Amino acid sequence: MKLARTDLKAIAEKTIEYMHLRGLPEDHPEGPYKKAVIICRGTGCTSSQSDKIMERFQTLIAADKNESSIEVVRTGCFGLCEAGPVVIVHPGGTFYSHVKVDDADIIYREHLIGDQPVKKLIYPDAVLEDGILPYSEVPFTMNQKRVALRNCGHIDPERIEEYLAHGGYQALEKVLFDMTPEAVIAEVTASGLRGLGGGGFPTGRKWQFTAANPGPEKYVVCNADEGDPGAFMDRSILEGDPHTVIEAMIIAGYAIGAAQGFIYIRAEYPIAVQRLEIAIRQAEDAGLLGDRILGSDFSFRLELRLGAGAFVCGEETALIASIEGNRGMPRNKPPFPANSGLWGKPTLINNVETYANIPVILMNGAASFRQTGTEKSPGTKVFALGGKIKNVGLVEVPMGTTLRQVVYDIGGGIPNGKAFKAVQTGGPSGGCIGAEKLDTPIDFDSLKAIGSMMGSGGMIVMDEDNCMVDVARFYMDFITDESCGKCTPCREGTKRMLEILERICDGKGEKSDIDRLESLAVTAQQASLCALGQTAANPVLSTLKTFRDEYDAHINEKRCPAGVCTSLISFFITDACIGCTKCARNCPVSCIAGTVKERHVIDRDACIRCGICQDVCPVNAVIRK
Amino acid sequence: MIQLTIDQKTVRVPAGTNLIEAARAAGIEIPALCYDPGLEVVGACRLCLVEIDGFPKPVTACTTSAAEGMAVHTMTPAVRRLRREILQLLLDNHPNDCLTCQQAGECYLQRYAYEYGVTFRVHDGARRGSEHARFTDTSSPYILRDESKCILCGKCVRTCAALPERSVLSFAGRGFMTKIAADLDQTLEASTCVSCSRCVVACPVGALIDRRQREKRVRAFSAETTTVKCKQCDYGCEFEVLQANEARVVRPKAPSGGRPLCLTGRLRAEIEYAGDPKTPYLKRETDKGRKFERVTWSEALGLGQVLQRIQEEEE
């Protein structure tokens, strides 16, 4: 059914009655359901069988004919992926972590029917001596501010009604009927929103440039080709709240005068693709996409384009080439896509997270948006927190929050009592930030000033067990694989930098290697065609700057201080050995000698440094050095 | 007209002129491997980097249009250093084969390496194709390919695509593994290649070689070269006649002004000008795919019946 302008609020009000238990919005205390089970169906939890958990709850509820009093809701990512599969029970917001399929029976019986929260299954940090913290009050959640992720974990991403109930498409309605395209662009410009895909270019200005080009044929493109190792911000937004991106793209089309949009998304994101397909179909059925949207004069169509996995297709000119059906290779800029993009027409390209902020800005106004964040980087930023950190997951914080706050207050610090060494931001284009810079506020300019960058939002924490030369090697390996091969400095230079790093990790590094690395890095920076090549050396340069001693140890002393580079470590059995023979029995190359109840010895020439002896030793007598 | 200075020389060029052409107008040559005035500009080799006052970092001259009042510097220490390193990266991935390379004397990589004093180095890093120069595709009687010498400037791909019905060559693979492929990575024989040799004349190095010239062992620097015009059709493509000692070979010349080049024209020029022309071959569709077959000259030039009639008439 095609909706009219007035239908939006009616549907929202009708739906909200069914959502009253979920905490938001707060002014609807009564409704048909007595309990609600919220199940994360993001990629992480789904891969840990949250789909089966959901089915189990549905089966149990159906068996007792409780469908009308207990609702089961599929949502997008809650954020704390480390605790997945995550199940939350309302009222109360009880936070169950690491739920297994069988746990569904216990939670159903004891909590949903018996009203007694199952303490042993609740997220440990939420259990206090005198009570249980709801999900919204555990430290991980408390210190965040969710704008782009506002609906993730609250609504069923496959039901447009729930998006409408949370104020969805109301910004679009306001824009179409009460604002001119100029006013929309002025509002976005005033908000100070910057491109959250990593570039940080002022979004409003991009819209202005594209709008300023004459001609009826223009395009709106959403860059959902997220590819940084360990990053899943855009994926989570699309999985948890696909309509917000669709709404923002329609608004962008209205603002710049485009009638066609494309979402370029990686084919490796099947759940996000599926939810977007559902969302687009729902929006089309509702008349929110297509001709004369909501009865206005504005028409807009939206299509998906699936990427084939090339990292460089996140670069906007390569992305355009890929949508056009050509090999995904960047081209020189200018001309910028705002002037000559898809099929040579003016094209607006924004990232998923940037679009996710647009409805909020237009609904609440630029001034309200600016209350969060810093003067030059207003708003929030979503990060995918990973690596050696307790709370692995998705976090959204106001710009200006320090790295320390993210790592310790939200991330919960480093597990297993290890020492923090560095945090990597900006993916393969970013850099490693050492402990002395932990109080740097997170915003576009501050991170750039310390040799890293915001990037799309990958944030990988490293501890004392990470070798920084190995980290640089890892990122260079990634870039060498992902270079498109078009320009010489990137195609040839990254390979040579990788070879040098491999040599250093292999204990064959020479003093001159550092100079050669730096020289190649400067050439890649100065001479490469696109940002991928220009930033390819950042992980090398930033680790060289902060962790030069580790490079020196590898090259001069043939030693890997973190004990990671296998060519440079050796295993050794100390006096603590009790002669249990476990190591000798498990050694795959039989290089450990010794008799029962006597200290064993490793033949270091034959040892392949697999570390199994260390893993199996019951008394920690095997050390690596 | 736009006025700018290049290396302190004032030059006036039409609007839209790129900096390589503007510099040329001022008598200054900027090195470039992937640039060809007749082809789409891609800015891939990065050798033509120049510095411009007010620009934060070097830009490629081929992709930058001249602008009023621009002050361009083509030979600063910074861009010379970058060019040297780019050339070194190319040489590090190129066989040391100039002594016997067919392209010697005409090779742009050789020329710039000489100008910038960059030399081959022994190293144990990875190389494209093989460590040594070796023809990797010898399936065509007209074109020899050597992947180990390819610098991936993409000129062959662009010149092949300039005639949409040809468009045989393209990039395949990614990053360091990038290579040029004919159709679905087939040999030139099995592909739809029409042996026009546009790619051969575009190649700045020895990756694509004119086989018939090579088999006569004639290199341009030791030959006397004259240009002849093809009479096969109205386009009038040009061919070069290379005379060295006793050998006289004909090879296609880089086409200009939208001229297409074709095999028939080449063979016609050969039979007219070459000394002791080599047997012609034509590609045929067979049960085993496309195959080159030896043909007679009258067949090659499509003159079978015509010649017979002429003979009959003149008898």
Side-chain angles (χ1 to χ4, degrees):
Chain A
M1 186 192 74
K2 303 268 186 249
L3 302 182
R5 194 184 166 181
T6 45
D7 295 334
L8 292 181
K9 279 213 170 77
I11 296 175
E13 274 170 25
K14 207 172 130 204
T15 314
I16 225 160
E17 288 179 18
Y18 291 86
M19 300 170 70
H20 71 110
L21 284 174
R22 301 185 216 165
L24 278 172
E26 284 151 11
D27 51 351
H28 276 267
E30 291 295 325
Y33 292 122
K34 303 287 173 255
K35 292 230 166 51
V37 188
I38 319 283
I39 296 158
C40 174
R41 290 293 309 279
T43 293
C45 288
T46 302
S47 65
S48 308
Q49 295 196 310
S50 72
D51 51 344
K52 298 267 175 0
I53 296 169
M54 185 166 156
E55 276 170 30
R56 187 66 196 150
F57 273 115
Q58 281 165 334
T59 311
L60 292 165
I61 290 165
D64 291 350
K65 299 204 166 40
N66 277 330
E67 291 104 324
S68 56
S69 62
I70 304 173
E71 76 165 332
V72 178
V73 189
R74 154 194 37 223
T75 68
C77 185
F78 287 96
L80 194 48
C81 305
E82 188 274 331
V86 172
V87 170
I88 289 175
V89 174
H90 288 299
T94 313
F95 173 19
Y96 292 104
S97 65
H98 301 109
V99 178
K100 296 185 181 61
V101 180
D102 295 343
D103 295 339
D105 294 69
I106 308 172
I107 295 171
Y108 175 73
R109 214 169 44 239
E110 295 186 19
H111 192 165
L112 294 176
I113 302 298
D115 272 334
Q116 279 307 311
V118 191
K119 266 201 174 165
K120 62 172 183 182
L121 296 177
I122 293 173
Y123 178 63
D125 286 7
V127 184
L128 304 179
E129 276 178 30
D130 53 349
I132 295 162
L133 284 177
Y135 181 76
S136 55
E137 288 173 29
V138 297
F140 176 79
T141 325
M142 276 283 278
N143 294 304
Q144 297 191 42
K145 182 174 171 65
R146 286 187 145 204
V147 178
L149 297 171
R150 63 194 177 281
N151 293 327
C152 290
H154 293 293
I155 64 168
D156 180 341
E158 296 184 16
R159 291 188 65 216
I160 190 171
E161 300 87 342
E162 298 201 357
Y163 180 65
L164 290 168
H166 272 236
Y169 290 108
Q170 281 174 21
L172 174 67
E173 187 226 322
K174 180 178 169 186
V175 162
L176 288 182
F177 295 97
D178 301 333
M179 290 175 86
T180 60
E182 295 75 26
V184 174
I185 295 175
E187 197 70 30
V188 174
T189 309
S191 76
L193 176 67
R194 296 173 67 170
L196 297 170
F201 189 81
T203 306
R205 267 174 60 203
K206 215 183 222 185
W207 289 33
Q208 263 168 17
F209 291 151
T210 324
N213 277 299
E217 214 177 320
K218 295 182 191 176
Y219 297 100
V220 174
V221 173
C222 173
N223 184 348
D225 192 58
E226 179 175 58
D228 284 2
F232 51 96
M233 301 75 56
D234 296 345
R235 166 183 226 162
S236 300
I237 292 171
L238 292 171
E239 285 176 356
D241 194 14
H243 281 288
T244 193
V245 174
I246 295 172
E247 181 179 5
M249 289 182 74
I250 305 169
I251 293 171
Y254 176 78
I256 67 154
Q260 174 73 52
F262 292 97
I263 300 178
Y264 186 85
I265 180 167
R266 322 179 60 185
E268 296 94 324
Y269 282 3
I271 296 180
V273 170
Q274 187 201 356
R275 296 212 174 126
L276 272 173
E277 281 170 350
I278 292 170
I280 290 173
R281 205 162 51 236
Q282 287 171 341
E284 281 169 352
D285 290 346
L288 292 160
L289 278 173
D291 288 333
R292 300 181 58 84
I293 293 168
L294 291 174
S296 71
D297 291 333
F298 179 66
S299 303
F300 189 79
R301 285 176 174 72
L302 194 55
E303 285 176 43
L304 292 187
R305 286 289 182 275
L306 302 195
F311 176 68
V312 76
C313 286
E315 198 281 343
E316 56 186 7
T317 59
L319 186 150
I320 287 170
S322 181
I323 293 183
E324 289 171 346
N326 297 317
R327 181 180 159 93
M329 289 203 290
R331 61 157 173 77
N332 279 271
K333 293 189 278 191
F336 289 94
N339 299 316
S340 174
L342 261 184
W343 297 292
K345 307 292 180 199
T347 303
L348 174 74
I349 303 187
N350 282 137
N351 156 272
V352 171
E353 192 184 336
T354 311
Y355 280 127
N357 279 282
I358 294 292
V360 181
I361 290 169
L362 290 161
M363 219 38 236
N364 305 338
S368 155
F369 181 78
R370 273 189 168 278
Q371 281 171 5
T372 310
T374 66
E375 174 64 28
K376 286 188 172 163
S377 305
T380 58
K381 179 76 193 89
V382 182
F383 288 98
L385 196 56
K388 305 287 183 61
I389 184 108
K390 191 163 159 267
N391 298 332
V392 170
L394 198 67
V395 304
E396 183 169 358
V397 290
M399 296 275 191
T401 306
T402 64
L403 288 163
R404 187 183 301 280
Q405 284 172 302
V406 173
V407 172
Y408 288 96
D409 299 348
I410 297 172
I414 319 294
N416 307 323
K418 299 277 183 179
F420 170 91
K421 186 183 263 184
V423 56
Q424 210 277 352
T425 67
S429 308
C432 295
I433 302 162
E436 72 285 359
K437 301 253 170 63
L438 262 181
D439 291 309
T440 307
I442 299 170
D443 63 68
F444 290 101
D445 312 300
S446 305
L447 288 177
K448 210 165 180 181
I450 57 170
S452 187
M453 65 182 277
M454 181 75 89
S456 60
M459 191 181 275
I460 296 173
V461 181
M462 291 149 194
D463 71 6
E464 55 188 291
D465 290 342
N466 285 99
C467 165
M468 299 314 282
V469 186
D470 183 61
V471 167
R473 185 202 55 77
F474 167 82
Y475 281 104
M476 194 53 75
D477 189 37
F478 180 86
I479 283 295
T480 306
D481 266 357
E482 295 297 344
S483 165
C484 80
K486 181 171 179 174
C487 79
T488 320
C490 177
R491 181 186 68 235
E492 311 283 335
T494 55
K495 180 75 177 176
R496 299 307 170 202
M497 284 191 272
L498 174 64
E499 285 175 349
I500 294 173
L501 290 165
E502 283 174 339
R503 217 159 50 222
I504 296 175
C505 289
D506 212 24
K508 294 173 185 151
E510 292 159 19
K511 280 208 168 103
S512 59
D513 280 343
I514 301 276
D515 292 340
R516 177 106 181 100
L517 260 184
E518 279 175 338
S519 173
L520 285 167
V522 171
T523 300
Q525 237 172 22
Q526 296 272 306
S528 293
L529 190 156
C530 81
L532 182 135
Q534 288 160 11
T535 58
N538 283 356
V540 175
L541 290 174
S542 67
T543 47
L544 263 177
K545 200 167 135 196
T546 316
F547 303 98
R548 178 63 185 259
D549 54 325
E550 292 197 29
Y551 282 85
D552 289 341
H554 281 74
I555 295 171
N556 302 336
E557 303 163 38
K558 308 292 175 209
R559 183 175 65 85
C560 174
V564 170
C565 299
T566 46
S567 300
L568 298 178
I569 52 170
S570 53
F571 288 88
F572 184 77
I573 299 176
T574 64
D575 285 344
C577 177
I578 52 169
C580 71
T581 75
K582 214 170 177 185
C583 55
R585 280 182 281 124
N586 282 284
C587 177
V589 292
S590 304
C591 74
I592 304 178
T595 46
V596 182
K597 292 191 175 166
E598 271 174 34
R599 181 175 166 185
H600 283 47
V601 179
I602 298 173
D603 175 355
R604 289 197 214 164
D605 292 334
C607 173
I608 57 166
R609 304 173 183 93
C610 65
I612 289 177
C613 50
Q614 191 176 30
D615 295 341
V616 299
C617 179
V619 292
N620 294 327
V622 183
I623 56 165
R624 59 170 81 193
K625 52 179 194 178
Chain B
M1 295 291 273
I2 279 168
Q3 186 168 314
L4 69 161
T5 67
I6 302 178
D7 295 344
Q8 277 86 47
K9 277 191 195 171
T10 302
V11 58
R12 285 168 63 80
V13 292
T17 307
N18 70 49
L19 291 181
I20 289 191
E21 297 300 335
R24 194 164 285 164
I28 296 163
E29 208 192 314
I30 300 173
L33 287 165
C34 70
Y35 174 75
D36 184 318
L39 298 175
E40 184 202 344
V41 174
V42 291
C45 75
R46 316 305 286 176
L47 212 54
C48 69
L49 287 169
V50 294
E51 288 195 281
I52 302 174
D53 286 354
F55 281 51
K57 62 181 196 176
V59 295
T60 40
C62 64
T63 59
T64 309
S65 295
E68 191 61 39
M70 213 177 225
V72 182
H73 310 282
T74 72
M75 281 303 241
T76 61
V79 297
R80 285 182 60 86
R81 188 200 82 80
L82 288 171
R83 284 180 202 152
R84 266 198 303 273
E85 188 136 88
I86 290 167
L87 287 167
Q88 187 70 66
L89 286 169
L90 289 171
L91 286 190
D92 282 351
N93 199 3
H94 195 90
N96 182 353
D97 180 44
C98 301
L99 286 179
T100 50
C101 182
Q102 178 65 32
Q103 194 75 356
E106 296 179 281
C107 173
Y108 279 83
L109 185 58
Q110 186 186 41
R111 177 178 154 188
Y112 295 139
Y114 176 71
E115 283 176 18
Y116 283 82
V118 184
T119 55
F120 285 111
R121 298 189 302 190
V122 176
H123 67 86
D124 53 9
R127 282 172 187 273
R128 183 181 334 286
S130 66
E131 171 103 12
H132 304 289
R134 189 178 53 188
F135 291 114
T136 45
D137 183 355
T138 55
S139 66
S140 163
Y142 300 103
I143 301 168
L144 287 168
R145 288 171 69 197
D146 183 347
E147 269 178 58
S148 68
K149 287 183 184 169
C150 179
I151 56 165
L152 295 168
C153 67
K155 273 186 184 174
C156 54
V157 175
R158 282 174 280 151
T159 196
C160 192
L163 293 145
E165 71 279 14
R166 296 187 190 168
S167 302
V168 177
L169 299 178
S170 63
F171 287 102
R174 311 286 296 178
F176 193 78
M177 306 303 284
T178 307
K179 64 172 194 171
I180 304 295
D183 289 337
L184 299 170
D185 205 5
Q186 290 162 300
T187 61
L188 288 173
E189 181 177 47
S191 74
T192 54
C193 169
V194 295
S195 308
C196 68
S197 293
R198 288 177 68 92
C199 55
V200 175
V201 296
C203 183
V205 295
L208 288 162
I209 289 297
D210 189 293
R211 183 169 193 166
R212 288 157 87 85
Q213 181 194 353
R214 152 118 186 151
E215 285 170 352
K216 294 272 185 175
R217 291 291 193 277
V218 176
R219 285 199 282 201
F221 65 80
S222 59
E224 215 166 289
T225 304
T226 47
T227 299
V228 296
K229 225 173 190 29
C230 177
K231 302 182 191 82
Q232 183 69 22
C233 75
D234 287 348
Y235 278 114
C237 300
E238 290 179 324
F239 290 87
E240 286 179 332
V241 181
L242 273 63
Q243 172 87 50
N245 301 324
E246 295 307 299
R248 193 166 69 245
V249 297
V250 170
R251 67 173 187 183
K253 198 176 168 182
S256 59
R259 292 188 179 90
L261 278 186
C262 73
L263 180 59
T264 318
R266 180 223 170 97
L267 290 173
R268 178 175 166 148
E270 272 193 31
I271 194 74
E272 202 171 341
Y273 299 103
D276 183 24
K278 298 186 74 78
T279 323
Y281 289 80
L282 288 183
K283 204 184 263 188
R284 306 271 196 225
E285 299 277 353
T286 72
D287 302 343
K288 291 174 183 162
R290 300 183 188 90
K291 293 282 174 202
F292 277 109
E293 282 176 9
R294 295 169 71 126
V295 292
T296 62
W297 277 100
S298 55
E299 240 181 308
L301 297 174
L303 297 173
Q305 283 185 326
V306 180
L307 278 181
Q308 207 182 337
R309 284 300 295 274
I310 290 173
Q311 246 170 7
E312 284 167 16
E313 288 297 315
E314 292 184 347
E315 273 166 13

